[in-house]
Every structure is written in structure tokens, then in C-alpha cells.
Amino acid sequence: MTIQDVAQRANVSIATVSRVLNDNQRVAGELRERVLMATDQLGYKPDRVARRLRAQKSEVIGLIVADIQNPHFVSVIQGVQDAAYDHGMNIILCDTNEAPSRLAENIQVLRAESVAGLIIVPTPSGNIDLLQELQEDHFPLVVLDRTIEGLALDTVMSDNFQGAYDAVQHLINLGYRRIAGIFPNVQTGIERRNGFIQAHLDAGLGKPSPSLILNGSYRVQGSYEVAYQLFSERLPEAVFTATNFVTLGVIRAIRELGILVPNDLALVGFDDLPWADELFIPYTAVAQPTYEIGTQAVQLLLERINGMAEAPRLVKLPVRLVVRASCGSKQRTISTPNL
Amino acid sequence: MTIQDVAQRANVSIATVSRVLNDNQRVAGELRERVLMATDQLGYKPDRVARRLRAQKSEVIGLIVADIQNPHFVSVIQGVQDAAYDHGMNIILCDTNEAPSRLAENIQVLRAESVAGLIIVPTPSGNIDLLQELQEDHFPLVVLDRTIEGLALDTVMSDNFQGAYDAVQHLINLGYRRIAGIFPNVQTGIERRNGFIQAHLDAGLGKPSPSLILNGSYRVQGSYEVAYQLFSERLPEAVFTATNFVTLGVIRAIRELGILVPNDLALVGFDDLPWADELFIPYTAVAQPTYEIGTQAVQLLLERINGMAEAPRLVKLPVRLVVRASCGSKQRTISTPNL
DNA sequence: CTGAAAGCGCTTACAG
DNA sequence: CTGAAAGCGCTTACAG
């Protein structure tokens, strides 16, 4: 079933069929009718592969995320998918698992697939050259979550600084003073640490003690270990966790140590989690507009593809604080240890 | 940068370049060397779109899942992705959100993309004809999680009956008798209900009371409501939840009603969840081999694509019980209500 | 407005 | 073993 079959049935040339289907040129009413009817009767769907090869334009967007197991990215994917869908485009999804080598391979494959553009969550390091190359080739590209130093690219991200700032201010306003922060050593972690510190300064509390600013892993287990040790030595009054996986590690430590929340310890975490309400500690969270990150990314990318964009743009989306029981401001949850 | 450039640099015809790169025919050592060198120097990557159009074979697999927000499918996706990757293939991911209309559209688009084959989680109803059409066209297809009545297709799924059976047997062995079950009204739910009932029969307890066999939604909220009402009327000794989202709804009801687990109520759920240990109720779970479902699906699909398969095959994978504190068999978790 | 023809970048019979 | 040529299913100048 090809364009030939339609042309034959409609008694026109394949050129006319193509024109009707892409309506990019005037076609006489009667011929148009015949083509449409034939298309309909045969259930003809143009071969997108052939079209892509010939027209050098594509209905596919490549999406490369860092960890599909992370709910943050799942929601971003959904946003990208829905927005792409609205524009008749599909996505090819790739997962780097935070490995630069896999990012390189994925970019290569997606270019070989002639995707119309790329939406990428860069791996922590070692791929600046790849992104730079894409830019030099004028390949449509939007970067998510992380900016690349020395490289101006279309970027969509949350306001990490402000989110952390708001979270810590929330704690300070509730009267908490000895506030620990656990930050993974990636770019977003650093921005959130700056917000953490600034909130202290603006509240007139001075710079927080270095002993309260901890490096966490971006994995649950590593964060759990950091928290376990911190809490064992001397319990702070409150803790700010800089990512969802850090939060989960901290919750595990809280459970194992039998710490009462919020009585003995308050908790605010960056990133909301699905089913946060069903967690051992339903925690107050800085919720990122994850879905919107995805839709905005598609928006920017399409503009770039269509040549409607000039200079690289940075879209920084606002976050919002979802207050739950873990700071004692709302209702209280008392968590008890295993027996 | 095309095959022309490579041919020119290596001083051979494009046919020779193609032969070397696909090594499907003998090429003299010296020419082969030159081609390889030129390919390397230019960093040439064949255009997969052109290849697909001409060779009528594809390096892309279409994957259609029912709900990307569900951790079950996230893990399946990862399995598919990794296995596909191992065979030099990529996936185009689509999400139906359980909507038959979207399944239809996705199938259409993926066929227009000339994917090599399709891995599909069918939506609950209304798409038997679509799958049947694929089968009649001999389009490579593997179905996940659900069988289609009256249609024999390559299928990969968990042993739902046995999983539910094991879970309930576990409860019975621990001494629980009044065991409620909450099942969403989809095929997997029905199989699990049968396992639930059979475990009762085999233990000599007779058929469980209909009042203890409940229809839940496959969403969290709906399941919560069912559980809330059930628990409010008369608390059973134990509850078996037939899917992860049902489990989350039940956990919410448990929290709100201040039910003590496992003292007043034991809980076993189908589907393990990531961070189940960090939930309000770390529950004993029937863990599906989700990742393996994905890898097996790719395995079957590749065999089908390569014409190595004859009759449709049904792969039923074993599940395993992950024992946590929610049945009192291990350590006890006492959950207390909000204050 | 319409059709015949060229061509997108490949692969693969067909000759030699 | 190697190359010239045909052709995958489309789109789009080019004529008319």
C-alpha cells in the first residue's frame, strides 16, 4: 500500500496525491476530493521513513534522560510525550543511566535516525564536546535541568536556588535553627546549596556551620549512609534534602534510628514524589513543575526546528512548596521505630 | 556526509562500502581496509532512515505501554531498552494511558515509522481487532501482561495466579483467616482473584465470603475509597491487594483510620514498589520479574522478526514473595495515626 | 493546476 | 570480487 495505489485509484499522479496530503500547493477541488476519498477507502498512511528521507524533515524527536527510574524524569517524559503528540510528533526515548559514553552513543544513533531535534538531560560530566558539536552543526537541541558552563544552549530548568531558599525559609520561620542540608555533588545540588545558605544569611543567622552542609550521593543508599552517620552523631533540628533519592535515604535513616518526626527532627525535601503521602514520612516538598519542563522543552525545540529562534534561551520555571506533616506546621505525624 | 564521501575517499564504489559495512559479501582485504579507514577518518555513520527504506528492515522497535507513571511499566521499559540496545536496536516509546483510541493511533504511527516489530501492553478493552489485524499482516508482535481471549499471540507475563496463591497461602500459614482481597476489574485482577480463592480452598477454608472479595479501581484514589469503607465497617484480619496502586490506596486508608499493622491488620500486595521500604507500611509483596518481562519480550520479538518462530508462545514468568514487616512474620512495624 | 522526472541515501540483484 | 544501475516511497523543482 503506497502512494502509487492511491494515485491509481484516484486517477491522478502521485505528485497530486502528495500535494493533497501535505496541502502545500493548490489542488483543484475535484481532484482533491478524489484523492481524499481514495486515501480514506484504502486506509492509506504515508510512509514516514520515505518522507523523512526525501523531505529531510522528521516527525520524531529524540529524548535522552538520565535515569528513567527517577520519577522526576518519568513526569518530564510524559510532558514531552504529550506535547510532542499534540504536534503530531513522536519521541524516541533513550536512557543514559548517567553514563557519558551512553549519551554519546545515543546522540549518534538518534542523528542516524534523522530525528528532527534532541531534548537532552546531560550526564554530570564529560559530554560538553558532544553538545558543542551539536550546536556547531546547528542541530536543534534543548537541554533540561542542567546548564553547561561556557555553552549557551536552549535550556529548561527549575529555579533550584529559589526552591531551596523557600524550603529553608519555611523551616526558619517555623523556628528551626540547626538545619542540616544534604546535597549531591552535581550542578543542581550546588544551586540548591546556595539557596540553602542564602536563606540562612537573609534570616540573619549567618553562614550555616560547614558540619551541617553534607555531600550526599544521588543514590538512595549513599544518602542513607550520610544521614545515618549525621543523625547518630548529633541530631540537627531539621534537615533539608536536595533531591528525591536523598530524601528516601534520609527517611530510611529516620526509620531505623527511631527518630520522631517532626518532634525531634523536621524534614523538607527537594522534589515531590508520587505517593509522598504514603511514605513513612509524608514530607514537605519543593515540587518541580516536571510535566511543564517537558512541554516547555518541546515548545522551545519546535521553535528552534522551525527557525523561529535566534539566541539561546533559558527558561527557569518556578517551583512550589507542598506542605505536609514533616515540619509540624500542619498536622503532626509521629513515626515510631520497628519493634 | 554520505556513503558517497566514504566511497570517494576510499576510491571504491558505494556498493563496496555498503558491503563492507554490512559484511554480507566477500570483499577483498585491501579494499576492505581502505573502506574501514575512510569510514573511521570521516566518522561516517550510515543513515538509518535510508537503509530502512531500501532494505525494508529496521533497527527500531515500537514499545507501547499502558501507563508510564506506573513503576511496573518503568521497569519493563528498562528491560526492553537494555535488551534492544544489546542487539543494536532502539525503541520508540508510546503511552496509551489505558485509552484504546490512543493505542490505535500509536500502532498506526509506529507502522508508518516502519518499526521492525511491536511490543504492546493492550488496553483493557476494545482493541482486539487491532491486534488481530497485526497478526493477519504477520507483523512481528509481542504482547505483555495480558492475554487476549480468542487470539493466540506471543505473550510474556507473570504467573498471576501463582503469585496471588503464594501470597494468600503465606497469610494463612501465619494464622490469618478473615482475609479480604481487593481486585481491579482487569484480566490480571481476575487471575489473581482466582489464585486468592484457590489458596483458601486448598487450605480447607472453603470459598471466601463474597463480602471479602472486593472490586477495586486500578487507581490509588478509587482503591482507597473501597478500602476505607471496608475497614470502617468491619476490619478483616488481613488484606491482599492485587496491584501496586491498590496497595497504595489501602495504605492511605490504613493511615487515616489509624489501623495498626500487623497487629490489627496484615497486608500483602501484588507488585513490589521501589522504595517499598520507605513506605508508611513496608509491605510484603509479590514481586514480578518486571525487568525480565522486558528482556524476554525483546527475545521473543527478535525471533519472530527473524522468522525463527512458528506457533505463538506464552512465556509465564515466576514471581517471588518479598517478605517485609506487614504480616508480622518478620519484624513488626507499628503504624500510628496522625495526631 | 497537473504530471513526468529527479533525487533523498542507501542495498542488492545483475553483469562482468 | 567489484561496479553500474535499479529502486525503496516519498517530495518538489521543472515544464507545460
Side-chain angles (χ1 to χ4, degrees):
Chain A
M1 161 86 59
T2 73
I3 198 173
Q4 292 281 4
D5 302 309
V6 180
Q8 201 167 330
R9 185 175 192 107
N11 231 310
V12 297
S13 71
I14 61 167
T16 297
V17 175
S18 176
R19 286 185 187 114
V20 171
L21 265 34
N22 295 288
D23 59 18
N24 53 4
Q25 200 182 317
R26 285 218 67 64
V27 173
E30 200 217 348
L31 290 201
R32 149 171 260 104
E33 283 294 302
R34 294 217 306 266
V35 169
L36 257 22
M37 179 161 294
T39 304
D40 206 51
Q41 286 173 345
L42 295 172
Y44 167 73
K45 300 292 160 196
D47 183 321
R48 306 194 357 160
V49 173
R51 167 184 293 178
R52 194 163 349 148
L53 176 62
R54 176 57 237 240
Q56 303 291 13
K57 64 180 175 176
S58 173
E59 311 84 354
V60 180
I61 292 172
L63 172 61
I64 308 180
V65 298
D67 179 11
I68 199 186
Q69 301 279 16
N70 190 322
H72 170 75
F73 293 121
V74 171
S75 181
V76 170
I77 291 169
Q78 188 129 20
V80 170
Q81 187 128 252
D82 287 354
Y85 196 87
D86 284 346
H87 292 90
M89 309 198 74
N90 290 85
I91 67 168
I92 299 186
L93 176 70
C94 299
D95 181 7
T96 60
N97 236 328
E98 302 279 9
S101 66
R102 204 141 164 178
L103 178 63
E105 185 153 351
N106 285 332
I107 289 176
Q108 204 170 77
V109 168
L110 291 174
R111 292 192 72 169
E113 282 288 343
S114 297
V115 295
L118 243 25
I119 297 175
I120 297 182
V121 180
T123 49
S125 66
N127 44 47
I128 300 171
D129 48 336
L130 292 174
L131 300 179
Q132 194 150 22
E133 190 182 332
L134 287 168
Q135 189 183 39
E136 282 162 6
D137 295 351
H138 296 98
F139 196 90
L141 170 67
V142 172
V143 167
L144 300 189
D145 286 1
R146 305 163 186 176
T147 56
I148 313 293
E149 202 166 346
L151 200 58
L153 297 167
D154 284 337
T155 306
V156 182
M157 62 195 304
S158 293
D159 194 336
N160 292 302
F161 177 91
Q162 192 63 43
Y165 186 95
D166 293 348
V168 175
Q169 191 177 51
H170 178 71
L171 287 169
I172 292 174
N173 287 345
L174 290 170
Y176 297 101
R177 286 300 173 266
R178 283 195 74 245
I179 305 170
I182 305 181
F183 307 90
N185 195 19
V186 295
Q187 195 205 345
T188 48
I190 292 165
E191 292 171 14
R192 292 167 196 177
R193 183 167 58 200
N194 291 339
F196 174 88
I197 293 172
Q198 192 63 44
H200 279 81
L201 294 175
D202 289 358
L205 299 178
K207 241 187 145 181
S209 154
S211 67
L212 289 175
I213 301 182
L214 291 94
N215 279 318
S217 156
Y218 58 86
R219 302 272 177 219
V220 176
Q221 178 62 22
S223 303
Y224 156 75
E225 289 163 9
V226 168
Y228 194 97
Q229 178 160 5
L230 171 71
F231 297 163
S232 302
E233 283 169 3
R234 184 180 165 205
L235 203 60
E237 295 174 16
V239 59
F240 169 71
T241 50
T243 78
N244 50 12
F245 285 171
V246 172
T247 306
L248 289 167
V250 166
I251 289 177
R252 189 185 301 173
I254 287 171
R255 184 200 289 274
E256 291 196 4
L257 289 166
I259 297 167
L260 300 185
V261 174
N263 303 42
D264 295 345
L265 178 72
L267 168 65
V268 185
F270 211 104
D271 291 323
D272 204 2
L273 277 171
W275 330 300
D277 287 316
E278 276 63 69
L279 288 177
F280 185 62
I281 308 290
Y283 68 102
T284 292
V286 179
Q288 295 192 56
T290 46
Y291 184 88
E292 196 186 349
I293 290 175
T295 57
Q296 283 276 345
V298 171
Q299 188 65 37
L300 290 194
L301 188 66
L302 290 177
E303 287 169 17
R304 185 63 64 186
I305 289 169
N306 297 328
M308 290 155 56
E310 303 283 325
R313 295 150 296 171
L314 171 62
V315 175
K316 194 171 275 189
L317 297 171
V319 299
R320 78 176 208 287
L321 201 65
V322 177
V323 176
R324 296 197 183 88
S326 64
C327 301
S329 60
K330 200 181 173 193
Q331 48 190 358
R332 311 187 111 187
T333 302
I334 296 199
S335 47
T336 56
N338 296 327
L339 297 182
Chain B
M1 162 85 60
T2 73
I3 198 172
Q4 291 281 4
D5 301 309
V6 179
Q8 200 166 331
R9 184 173 193 109
N11 230 309
V12 296
S13 71
I14 61 167
T16 297
V17 175
S18 176
R19 286 185 188 116
V20 171
L21 265 33
N22 295 289
D23 58 19
N24 53 3
Q25 200 182 319
R26 284 219 68 62
V27 174
E30 201 217 349
L31 290 202
R32 152 171 258 104
E33 283 295 302
R34 295 217 305 266
V35 169
L36 258 22
M37 179 161 294
T39 305
D40 206 50
Q41 287 172 345
L42 295 172
Y44 167 73
K45 301 292 163 196
D47 183 319
R48 307 199 348 165
V49 173
R51 168 183 294 177
R52 199 169 337 157
L53 177 61
R54 176 58 235 241
Q56 303 291 13
K57 64 180 174 176
S58 172
E59 313 82 355
V60 180
I61 292 172
L63 172 61
I64 307 180
V65 300
D67 178 10
I68 200 186
Q69 301 278 16
N70 190 321
H72 169 76
F73 293 121
V74 170
S75 181
V76 169
I77 291 168
Q78 188 128 19
V80 170
Q81 186 128 252
D82 287 354
Y85 195 87
D86 285 347
H87 292 89
M89 309 197 76
N90 290 85
I91 66 168
I92 298 186
L93 176 70
C94 299
D95 181 7
T96 60
N97 236 329
E98 302 279 9
S101 66
R102 204 142 163 177
L103 177 64
E105 185 154 350
N106 286 331
I107 289 175
Q108 204 169 77
V109 167
L110 292 174
R111 292 192 73 169
E113 281 288 343
S114 297
V115 295
L118 243 26
I119 298 175
I120 296 181
V121 179
T123 49
S125 66
N127 43 47
I128 300 171
D129 48 337
L130 293 175
L131 301 178
Q132 193 151 21
E133 189 183 332
L134 287 167
Q135 189 183 40
E136 281 163 5
D137 294 350
H138 296 97
F139 196 89
L141 170 68
V142 173
V143 166
L144 300 189
D145 287 1
R146 306 164 186 176
T147 56
I148 312 293
E149 203 166 345
L151 200 57
L153 297 166
D154 285 337
T155 307
V156 182
M157 62 193 306
S158 292
D159 194 336
N160 291 303
F161 177 90
Q162 191 64 42
Y165 186 96
D166 293 349
V168 175
Q169 190 177 51
H170 179 72
L171 287 169
I172 293 173
N173 287 345
L174 289 170
Y176 297 100
R177 286 299 173 268
R178 282 195 76 246
I179 304 171
I182 304 181
F183 307 90
N185 196 19
V186 295
Q187 194 204 346
T188 49
I190 292 166
E191 292 172 15
R192 291 168 196 176
R193 182 166 59 200
N194 291 339
F196 174 88
I197 293 171
Q198 193 62 44
H200 279 82
L201 295 175
D202 290 358
L205 299 179
K207 241 188 146 183
S209 155
S211 67
L212 289 175
I213 302 181
L214 290 93
N215 278 319
S217 159
Y218 58 89
R219 303 271 178 221
V220 176
Q221 179 61 24
S223 303
Y224 156 76
E225 288 162 10
V226 169
Y228 194 96
Q229 177 159 7
L230 172 70
F231 297 162
S232 302
E233 285 170 0
R234 185 180 164 203
L235 203 59
E237 295 175 16
V239 59
F240 168 71
T241 49
T243 78
N244 49 13
F245 285 170
V246 172
T247 306
L248 288 168
V250 167
I251 288 177
R252 188 187 299 174
I254 287 173
R255 184 201 289 273
E256 291 196 3
L257 290 167
I259 298 167
L260 300 184
V261 174
N263 302 41
D264 294 346
L265 179 72
L267 168 64
V268 185
F270 212 103
D271 291 324
D272 204 2
L273 277 171
W275 332 297
D277 287 316
E278 276 62 69
L279 289 177
F280 185 63
I281 309 290
Y283 68 102
T284 293
V286 179
Q288 294 192 56
T290 45
Y291 184 88
E292 196 185 350
I293 289 175
T295 57
Q296 284 275 345
V298 171
Q299 187 65 37
L300 290 194
L301 187 65
L302 290 177
E303 288 169 16
R304 185 62 64 187
I305 290 169
N306 298 328
M308 289 154 56
E310 302 284 325
R313 296 151 295 171
L314 171 62
V315 175
K316 195 170 274 191
L317 296 172
V319 299
R320 76 175 210 290
L321 201 64
V322 177
V323 177
R324 296 198 183 86
S326 65
C327 302
S329 60
K330 200 181 173 193
Q331 48 188 359
R332 311 187 112 187
T333 302
I334 296 199
S335 46
T336 57
N338 296 326
L339 296 183

